[in-house]
């Protein structure tokens, strides 16, 4: 089990448990977080953009070049931004804290 903390735009925190092998986007959506995931995890949009706290960011595998390209399009991207569809819960993550950005850009125009 991994403890995942979602920090909302209003500063409230929701803690949930994730299983090994879970994808962060699925965990977020199952727990009412406002991550659209328009492309359903195909890395064709940036609507699942999250900002990982620095101490947890360092423990994640590096983003691929394709993910970095999508993050370039994300509103409010930071140095520790990632796409939730590309973060998988593994044994290295005892806990993970991410901020939900204030704005998202729907790349499919819906």
């Amino acid at each position: 089990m991994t403890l995942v903390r979602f920090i909302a735009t209003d500063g409230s925190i929701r803690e949930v448990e994730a299983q090994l092998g879970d994808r962060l986007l699925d965990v977020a959506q199952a727990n009412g977080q406002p991550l659209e995931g328009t492309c359903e995890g195909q890395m064709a949009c940036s609507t699942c953009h999250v900002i990982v706290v620095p101490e947890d960011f360092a423990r994640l595998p590096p983003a691929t070049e394709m993910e970095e390209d999508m993050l370039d399009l994300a509103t409010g991207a930071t140095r520790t931004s990632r796409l939730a569809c590309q973060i998988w819960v593994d044994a290295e993550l005892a806990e993970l804290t991410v901020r939900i950005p204030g704005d998202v850009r729907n790349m499919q125009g819906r």
Side-chain angles (χ1 to χ4, degrees), residues 5 26 37 53 62 67 69 73-74 79 86 88 108:
R5 278 184 210 87
D26 299 326
V53 298
E67 181 180 358
D69 289 346
L73 303 173
R79 188 183 60 76
Q86 299 303 301
W88 297 86
Q108 297 196 352

Side-chain angles (χ1 to χ4, degrees), residues 18-103:
Q19 303 292 325
L20 292 179
D22 283 351
R23 182 172 63 168
L24 185 61
L25 175 60
D26 299 326
V27 173
Q29 290 177 335
N31 287 281
Q33 298 303 308
L35 296 182
E36 188 175 337
T38 300
C39 72
E40 298 178 358
Q42 300 301 309
M43 222 176 355
C45 72
S46 59
T47 61
C48 68
H49 166 228
V50 294
I51 301 168
V52 181
V53 298
E55 55 273 21
D56 292 343
F57 183 81
R59 294 186 292 127
L60 294 174
T64 64
E65 186 174 330
M66 188 173 174
E67 181 180 358
E68 291 286 350
D69 289 346
M70 292 302 343
L71 286 167
D72 287 342
L73 303 173
T75 302
T78 71
R79 188 183 60 76
T80 62
S81 288
R82 293 293 304 268
L83 298 179
C85 69
Q86 299 303 301
I87 298 175
W88 297 86
V89 175
D90 64 20
E92 299 297 314
L93 293 174
E95 59 183 57
L96 176 65
T97 302
V98 298
R99 291 188 173 279
I100 305 298
D103 294 316

